Amino acid sequence: MAESPAKKARAQSEKGIAVLAYSGGLDTSCILLWLIEQGYEVVAYTADVGQGDDFEAVKKKAMQCGAKKYVVKDLKKDFVLENIWPAVQANAKYEDRYLLGTSLARPCITKGMMEVVREEGADFISHGATGKGNDQIRMELSAYALKPDIQIIAPWKMPEFYNRFHGRKDLFEYAKLNNIPLPVTTSAPWSMDGNLMHISYEAGILEDPKVAAPSDMYQMTSDPLTSPDEPDKLEIEFKHGVPIRVKNLKDGTEKTDALELYLYLNEVGGKHGIGRIDVVENRYIGMKSRGVYECPAATILIEAHLDIENITMDKAMRRIKHDLSLRFTEQVYEGYWYSPENVFVRHCIHKSQEDVEGCVTVLLHKGHTYIISRHSPKSLYNEQLVSMDVKGDYEPLDALGFIKVNAVRLKEYSRLRGMDASNKTS
Amino acid sequence: MAESPAKKARAQSEKGIAVLAYSGGLDTSCILLWLIEQGYEVVAYTADVGQGDDFEAVKKKAMQCGAKKYVVKDLKKDFVLENIWPAVQANAKYEDRYLLGTSLARPCITKGMMEVVREEGADFISHGATGKGNDQIRMELSAYALKPDIQIIAPWKMPEFYNRFHGRKDLFEYAKLNNIPLPVTTSAPWSMDGNLMHISYEAGILEDPKVAAPSDMYQMTSDPLTSPDEPDKLEIEFKHGVPIRVKNLKDGTEKTDALELYLYLNEVGGKHGIGRIDVVENRYIGMKSRGVYECPAATILIEAHLDIENITMDKAMRRIKHDLSLRFTEQVYEGYWYSPENVFVRHCIHKSQEDVEGCVTVLLHKGHTYIISRHSPKSLYNEQLVSMDVKGDYEPLDALGFIKVNAVRLKEYSRLRGMDASNKTS
Amino acid sequence: MAESPAKKARAQSEKGIAVLAYSGGLDTSCILLWLIEQGYEVVAYTADVGQGDDFEAVKKKAMQCGAKKYVVKDLKKDFVLENIWPAVQANAKYEDRYLLGTSLARPCITKGMMEVVREEGADFISHGATGKGNDQIRMELSAYALKPDIQIIAPWKMPEFYNRFHGRKDLFEYAKLNNIPLPVTTSAPWSMDGNLMHISYEAGILEDPKVAAPSDMYQMTSDPLTSPDEPDKLEIEFKHGVPIRVKNLKDGTEKTDALELYLYLNEVGGKHGIGRIDVVENRYIGMKSRGVYECPAATILIEAHLDIENITMDKAMRRIKHDLSLRFTEQVYEGYWYSPENVFVRHCIHKSQEDVEGCVTVLLHKGHTYIISRHSPKSLYNEQLVSMDVKGDYEPLDALGFIKVNAVRLKEYSRLRGMDASNKTS
Amino acid sequence: MAESPAKKARAQSEKGIAVLAYSGGLDTSCILLWLIEQGYEVVAYTADVGQGDDFEAVKKKAMQCGAKKYVVKDLKKDFVLENIWPAVQANAKYEDRYLLGTSLARPCITKGMMEVVREEGADFISHGATGKGNDQIRMELSAYALKPDIQIIAPWKMPEFYNRFHGRKDLFEYAKLNNIPLPVTTSAPWSMDGNLMHISYEAGILEDPKVAAPSDMYQMTSDPLTSPDEPDKLEIEFKHGVPIRVKNLKDGTEKTDALELYLYLNEVGGKHGIGRIDVVENRYIGMKSRGVYECPAATILIEAHLDIENITMDKAMRRIKHDLSLRFTEQVYEGYWYSPENVFVRHCIHKSQEDVEGCVTVLLHKGHTYIISRHSPKSLYNEQLVSMDVKGDYEPLDALGFIKVNAVRLKEYSRLRGMDASNKTS
């Protein structure tokens, strides 16, 4: 049997070691082959961030493609603790809606990759992210920040690669030629990316923003139209702005381990169809793209966190923290996790969460999360003070002066400029 | 039969005319009497902002209480066009959740009141808002801005009033003594305030934030647990950032008039239990208070507006507009509608909406609003450009330089300061 | 000789102990008397924040007025370390110009006062700040924050006081009647307030904003028109964003103690007429007021700090820190030093200054501070990288992609909406 | 005599017409030659933005180099009206110090260039900006925005160019070879760029940030050490936030034309050594660079504008406008003049200036601008209201309530969390 081109190439490997972010799919398998063909030794690397793949099968495929070695790193707990928790503290929603499921995973994945680089003494990394997307940026910026002299091979940005492989068909041919096992299933008419936080769907039929996503596309969440009629009621306990306990008040299930708790919220939230969104968002590179996401646990957690935060955090401090959260969100979306500014903002947000603790009761039902009550040992809510029935330590007369002083500049302005026309905005 | 004290007082009215914001309830009826007792002639005024009261009955009661005159102003359309539409343009959510249903109504109500002041030649206004709430501020700041020399009589901030009437029981006695018809129903164990935009519930049993709101409290929305299993699908068309047409794709119902469209969204949204929230919020005066709100139409509209805005507005412009929206929201919550800064911000937001137009399809079901698709003649989404299958006017190679240049400062920072420890935030 | 009314009153003192912020001037002397008259025991308190008064004389006067005790606290070093240094780190300029000399002193003064309250077991504090100014707010908010149950006696906000004493003349009469030594000098036609950071001038002839301040008014700074022709050149060394060493390169004088260093900068800066400004500013209560300030050391330090900060701080981080600084500045101006938000912001800004260190050389001459050079062990400036003559670790080609990708959305926008008219702003 | 290589190349010109931003210097002369060599027809273009060159000489040189045509456009007035005035309205200082003299000129220059492109039917533009600087970005982004299909030839980003010409010496040789007149003077040991707004100096000996700039470098401003002892006093009148009249109160000189007024301020300001700064700034591409600038007129105008703005603009509105100004400044620095966001922000800022009018008196002396008084028909300053001597329409008692209500949340926070430790920031 004739030697495959890749095998031949391997023999000639002289350029050094490249660590490839490898999924086992058609794209990264072809890239693996191609890298060997170009003269690199390839260490295939997979980050286990909860995507639920069969890593044994991935490994087998990597070795078949000619990888020098296959490394899988279990980063699930790191991902929750180091990346998702700060996003919960920030109530992070990019452009008011997207919960950053992919954006948060990329620095985690890249951090693991850079560890492999160090362990293997590699000089290169490679990945299969396209040249139009956000993920190339998130991975490459993270890599440069973690190891400024790293060399990055991004085939989808290299004309010699993308002018050779124009689409799936070319990759298919190339795989076949190199005796690489081909995917048996026909590909879905969209592209997806998943981890324990979310699954994102884009491209293919979703590229037309006026076409609704098909109902059979979703994998983490039930269809709310057919999800259970009976809700679940959970109590979520926070400390320092992150969940430390979830209890299902219906059946008594309780989770306290961060990863288990997160996966449990995915399970219950998913059962009730929670966390689906369909958006057009602005990529860092300035294109608008359409994405559909399902993200059960984080959707619940951010609702609950917003609630416990507002009963425990001072109003004026909240505004400042909110501005910082906006910056955090933009930075993470754009790939700046490992940047001085994001480290700084994470520090500040973390500081703001010192007293964010207590329990929130949420009801999950048919795609929606209802906050129904909350209590906290660090509550700044004073029932006496706000009560309509008792005065508390508050003199209503004081409000008179408060309003009159706040009106000083309004009255001056009105006297001098007039306010009658002020409802006109154009 | 003996003359009531109020009737006697009326004869002596010498202080001038006071326009009273009058609801027909126990509080403002007693205030009406009391004002007469203090020597004012009282014009009772009601703003019809869609609260759905029987204004004939209110008028009758006002006259019974001794009002010189009763004026009702139909401000429903003004409220939608002048106050709610700007909030939709701003995607306004105070502290990320509250849609400002009361905050937006107050300047509208006060504007009508100041017209009555002018029409009647009054020197005083009066209202029944308490000294602990936001509404006193919103009304009084609006009044001062619209007529800097207005005199405001706010009995709940006057010791001679609030030391005399300690609670509902005292008001009840006072009403009885003055032959004022008493409310026949026992009062609900909470306080509510409604208009066409929302109903808010607070106080009473809701003062304990760890007690869930009772399910029979809600009046605008069905319980999502029992609301229809079959969703409604609506197409909402926007122009200049405000809705100009709503079409129910199931039954063909179509509305184009702003007020009708808004009420229709309330109806359909309410049927599906949409727009309920339960929050602890920060009042302007620095107390935290617990409020429960139902706000169907605006909940749907803001979701839809967010969506059409993001496909038609440039990314960098969106960020600036978002910051302005935050300011808008805080200003409106705190009563600064008629302020130079709010007029300015409204102008800027309005300007930003020039090209925000197009159609959004939404699915309403069991308390949740799903955005499922959108299209716009002013879309900045370019399917060719973003496509994974075609290159469009985009050279993947360019992303290489983009990333490398963006990495310049990260690499420098990392070289000089290190990034390994950068995931640590504390 | 007849007993003065105040002496009589003292005997009857029954209301408890009031700590009065006492300057020895006519106003606070009369307030001292009046408080005794009202039945308080008065502890007169002066904070030494560098105003340069003769505290023995002040004490003598306080005792003559009937004070139970006189306490002076030397807070000069605290003021520099705890209040001025954070403002330098923040480059704090209220409304772009005012360096907060009074705003920063108030929380320092009040903190000392609250210590006296604790030491003396007092229940009351009192001060002579007027009801139109910012200082009443700064002191009272600080006092409430430090001791929520403190009772504040602010005579200039009490009708029984301000309706009795309409102006300087009434106070004069009252002092005379009570055998209090009167000021021998006729008062300047303006009001002034000073501490080691600055002197502020306002009121009197300065109330007309179109009248220039007289040149003989200034006390900390020489007139730049006649100040030395020969400049001084100083090297200022920073660590953690605060100065740790100042060296005069002309004569070798060197200061490292914070307070000495600050006073030395006042001396040299003052000699060269540095730090005078004349502004109309917005008071917290919504009035515009005109103030003239002289503030030598802080003017120099903020210029120098801006410079060392920019060579040592990452660009993106700087923007976030700048936003926080704006908040810091507004909060401090408005009296919120002891607030959760200011504590938080100070923490964040402090964190941002970890690597802000190095030396700045400044030239002081005729009212102006010139930054002429700087160097830092933590510099992020890379001469190789930026050089026009060497490439450094930078590939010019990369800028091509950087620009093209950044142009993506501009080109899309231009194609769809046009940019030709975009220079028109109205 | 042998034909020069460029002349030969010209004959073969086949690629089309390129408009080259041409200064007449060595760099752009060589680029002109090189473009011809590459097969382009070259239209040499100079924007007259007040750099004061001899355009006849520049033209002669362009033609000698083989240009098809030379076009000079007088954009001085456009530059002032369309670019500088918005910056004055914004009080624009990049990173608190740099007044954007070059940043503002680039979109103006590029706009003129794109007009030439249209007039000449060109498909290409070219420029001599380096690949490390900001100017390439400003010009190219502007060009793409104004004409999305423009093709840009930037030799300093093309390896075939920059690998051929490594420095000044190579260009010199190339010019000589092509019979191009060489610069007679030896080049200064720094690089400079000037227009009517400013001159910037960088590179060469200035690349070391700890080396002070030589005093003989400056061209627009006198050395403050030797500038006149006698100040000039000017009255500057603003309308809509831009200067409409400048009057020298010493000699009566008066200017009302925008360009004349601007040049006059340069003249007087320059005479007094005003507007010199020496900074390390952050370039868009993430490098820190050291720049020295002199910018007399704008320095004076921003000081004066800040002053008239603060007496005529409401305080709360000012804060919002200030945030917009920060965005404006960053956008302009980074080259986004022709972007949707900058057009939007310019519109908003312009709107904010409607009532910014009045006169400011400034004193210019030895490098410093002193604001000494101001008056305005649109002043919001109310002498009665703020006066210490009269009450005006203000009740001091109201301040009591104002403070107490503002203290509500501080007291709550302090009771529950404590404030004693709050001065600690670390």
Side-chain angles (χ1 to χ4, degrees), chain D residues 358-371:
Chain D
C359 287
V360 180
T361 305
V362 303
L363 198 83
L364 310 180
H365 180 243
K366 297 258 180 204
H368 203 77
T369 305
Y370 300 87
I371 302 298

PDB file of all heavy atoms in Angstrom, chain D residues 358-371:
ATOM      1  N   GLY D 358     -21.159  83.950  24.409  1.00  0.00           N
ATOM      2  CA  GLY D 358     -20.736  84.973  25.352  1.00  0.00           C
ATOM      3  C   GLY D 358     -19.259  85.281  25.181  1.00  0.00           C
ATOM      4  O   GLY D 358     -18.615  84.772  24.258  1.00  0.00           O
ATOM      5  N   CYS D 359     -18.765  86.121  26.071  1.00  0.00           N
ATOM      6  CA  CYS D 359     -17.388  86.612  25.957  1.00  0.00           C
ATOM      7  C   CYS D 359     -16.517  86.163  27.123  1.00  0.00           C
ATOM      8  O   CYS D 359     -16.945  86.228  28.277  1.00  0.00           O
ATOM      9  CB  CYS D 359     -17.388  88.142  25.967  1.00  0.00           C
ATOM     10  SG  CYS D 359     -18.008  88.835  24.440  1.00  0.00           S
ATOM     11  N   VAL D 360     -15.329  85.772  26.801  1.00  0.00           N
ATOM     12  CA  VAL D 360     -14.361  85.394  27.819  1.00  0.00           C
ATOM     13  C   VAL D 360     -13.136  86.298  27.665  1.00  0.00           C
ATOM     14  O   VAL D 360     -12.664  86.511  26.549  1.00  0.00           O
ATOM     15  CB  VAL D 360     -13.926  83.922  27.646  1.00  0.00           C
ATOM     16  CG1 VAL D 360     -12.926  83.525  28.714  1.00  0.00           C
ATOM     17  CG2 VAL D 360     -15.135  83.002  27.667  1.00  0.00           C
ATOM     18  N   THR D 361     -12.657  86.799  28.770  1.00  0.00           N
ATOM     19  CA  THR D 361     -11.432  87.597  28.713  1.00  0.00           C
ATOM     20  C   THR D 361     -10.263  86.740  29.175  1.00  0.00           C
ATOM     21  O   THR D 361     -10.321  86.127  30.237  1.00  0.00           O
ATOM     22  CB  THR D 361     -11.547  88.854  29.594  1.00  0.00           C
ATOM     23  OG1 THR D 361     -12.708  89.568  29.184  1.00  0.00           O
ATOM     24  CG2 THR D 361     -10.325  89.745  29.419  1.00  0.00           C
ATOM     25  N   VAL D 362      -9.242  86.692  28.339  1.00  0.00           N
ATOM     26  CA  VAL D 362      -8.074  85.867  28.664  1.00  0.00           C
ATOM     27  C   VAL D 362      -6.817  86.719  28.647  1.00  0.00           C
ATOM     28  O   VAL D 362      -6.725  87.717  27.921  1.00  0.00           O
ATOM     29  CB  VAL D 362      -7.896  84.701  27.653  1.00  0.00           C
ATOM     30  CG1 VAL D 362      -9.138  83.828  27.578  1.00  0.00           C
ATOM     31  CG2 VAL D 362      -7.513  85.209  26.278  1.00  0.00           C
ATOM     32  N   LEU D 363      -5.900  86.309  29.475  1.00  0.00           N
ATOM     33  CA  LEU D 363      -4.614  86.982  29.543  1.00  0.00           C
ATOM     34  C   LEU D 363      -3.572  85.988  29.054  1.00  0.00           C
ATOM     35  O   LEU D 363      -3.526  84.855  29.528  1.00  0.00           O
ATOM     36  CB  LEU D 363      -4.339  87.342  31.010  1.00  0.00           C
ATOM     37  CG  LEU D 363      -3.288  88.401  31.292  1.00  0.00           C
ATOM     38  CD1 LEU D 363      -3.925  89.785  31.156  1.00  0.00           C
ATOM     39  CD2 LEU D 363      -2.769  88.216  32.722  1.00  0.00           C
ATOM     40  N   LEU D 364      -2.748  86.393  28.111  1.00  0.00           N
ATOM     41  CA  LEU D 364      -1.720  85.513  27.578  1.00  0.00           C
ATOM     42  C   LEU D 364      -0.358  86.008  28.029  1.00  0.00           C
ATOM     43  O   LEU D 364      -0.018  87.185  27.826  1.00  0.00           O
ATOM     44  CB  LEU D 364      -1.778  85.496  26.045  1.00  0.00           C
ATOM     45  CG  LEU D 364      -3.152  85.249  25.431  1.00  0.00           C
ATOM     46  CD1 LEU D 364      -3.063  85.265  23.909  1.00  0.00           C
ATOM     47  CD2 LEU D 364      -3.739  83.937  25.918  1.00  0.00           C
ATOM     48  N   HIS D 365       0.407  85.101  28.640  1.00  0.00           N
ATOM     49  CA  HIS D 365       1.681  85.563  29.188  1.00  0.00           C
ATOM     50  C   HIS D 365       2.603  84.376  29.454  1.00  0.00           C
ATOM     51  O   HIS D 365       2.241  83.455  30.177  1.00  0.00           O
ATOM     52  CB  HIS D 365       1.439  86.325  30.503  1.00  0.00           C
ATOM     53  CG  HIS D 365       2.686  86.842  31.156  1.00  0.00           C
ATOM     54  ND1 HIS D 365       3.112  86.414  32.394  1.00  0.00           N
ATOM     55  CD2 HIS D 365       3.609  87.745  30.722  1.00  0.00           C
ATOM     56  CE1 HIS D 365       4.231  87.031  32.707  1.00  0.00           C
ATOM     57  NE2 HIS D 365       4.557  87.855  31.715  1.00  0.00           N
ATOM     58  N   LYS D 366       3.765  84.394  28.832  1.00  0.00           N
ATOM     59  CA  LYS D 366       4.829  83.442  29.168  1.00  0.00           C
ATOM     60  C   LYS D 366       4.330  81.991  29.213  1.00  0.00           C
ATOM     61  O   LYS D 366       4.485  81.292  30.218  1.00  0.00           O
ATOM     62  CB  LYS D 366       5.418  83.811  30.544  1.00  0.00           C
ATOM     63  CG  LYS D 366       6.079  85.190  30.557  1.00  0.00           C
ATOM     64  CD  LYS D 366       7.563  85.070  30.482  1.00  0.00           C
ATOM     65  CE  LYS D 366       8.276  86.416  30.496  1.00  0.00           C
ATOM     66  NZ  LYS D 366       9.585  86.306  29.863  1.00  0.00           N
ATOM     67  N   GLY D 367       3.701  81.566  28.152  1.00  0.00           N
ATOM     68  CA  GLY D 367       3.331  80.164  28.059  1.00  0.00           C
ATOM     69  C   GLY D 367       2.030  79.782  28.715  1.00  0.00           C
ATOM     70  O   GLY D 367       1.615  78.622  28.643  1.00  0.00           O
ATOM     71  N   HIS D 368       1.364  80.730  29.364  1.00  0.00           N
ATOM     72  CA  HIS D 368       0.151  80.371  30.090  1.00  0.00           C
ATOM     73  C   HIS D 368      -1.035  81.224  29.665  1.00  0.00           C
ATOM     74  O   HIS D 368      -0.890  82.395  29.348  1.00  0.00           O
ATOM     75  CB  HIS D 368       0.383  80.517  31.593  1.00  0.00           C
ATOM     76  CG  HIS D 368      -0.553  79.687  32.421  1.00  0.00           C
ATOM     77  ND1 HIS D 368      -0.394  78.348  32.586  1.00  0.00           N
ATOM     78  CD2 HIS D 368      -1.680  80.012  33.112  1.00  0.00           C
ATOM     79  CE1 HIS D 368      -1.366  77.870  33.364  1.00  0.00           C
ATOM     80  NE2 HIS D 368      -2.156  78.865  33.682  1.00  0.00           N
ATOM     81  N   THR D 369      -2.187  80.606  29.677  1.00  0.00           N
ATOM     82  CA  THR D 369      -3.431  81.299  29.367  1.00  0.00           C
ATOM     83  C   THR D 369      -4.228  81.441  30.657  1.00  0.00           C
ATOM     84  O   THR D 369      -4.536  80.434  31.295  1.00  0.00           O
ATOM     85  CB  THR D 369      -4.264  80.471  28.367  1.00  0.00           C
ATOM     86  OG1 THR D 369      -3.465  80.203  27.214  1.00  0.00           O
ATOM     87  CG2 THR D 369      -5.531  81.194  27.964  1.00  0.00           C
ATOM     88  N   TYR D 370      -4.520  82.663  31.037  1.00  0.00           N
ATOM     89  CA  TYR D 370      -5.318  82.889  32.245  1.00  0.00           C
ATOM     90  C   TYR D 370      -6.712  83.359  31.854  1.00  0.00           C
ATOM     91  O   TYR D 370      -6.859  84.327  31.107  1.00  0.00           O
ATOM     92  CB  TYR D 370      -4.671  83.974  33.118  1.00  0.00           C
ATOM     93  CG  TYR D 370      -3.281  83.632  33.571  1.00  0.00           C
ATOM     94  CD1 TYR D 370      -2.172  83.933  32.760  1.00  0.00           C
ATOM     95  CD2 TYR D 370      -3.052  82.989  34.778  1.00  0.00           C
ATOM     96  CE1 TYR D 370      -0.880  83.606  33.163  1.00  0.00           C
ATOM     97  CE2 TYR D 370      -1.758  82.660  35.187  1.00  0.00           C
ATOM     98  CZ  TYR D 370      -0.680  82.975  34.375  1.00  0.00           C
ATOM     99  OH  TYR D 370       0.587  82.641  34.771  1.00  0.00           O
ATOM    100  N   ILE D 371      -7.707  82.650  32.348  1.00  0.00           N
ATOM    101  CA  ILE D 371      -9.084  83.132  32.185  1.00  0.00           C
ATOM    102  C   ILE D 371      -9.309  84.117  33.317  1.00  0.00           C
ATOM    103  O   ILE D 371      -9.105  83.779  34.491  1.00  0.00           O
ATOM    104  CB  ILE D 371     -10.079  81.959  32.339  1.00  0.00           C
ATOM    105  CG1 ILE D 371      -9.780  80.859  31.315  1.00  0.00           C
ATOM    106  CG2 ILE D 371     -11.512  82.469  32.250  1.00  0.00           C
ATOM    107  CD1 ILE D 371      -9.907  81.277  29.887  1.00  0.00           C
TER     108      ILE D 371
END
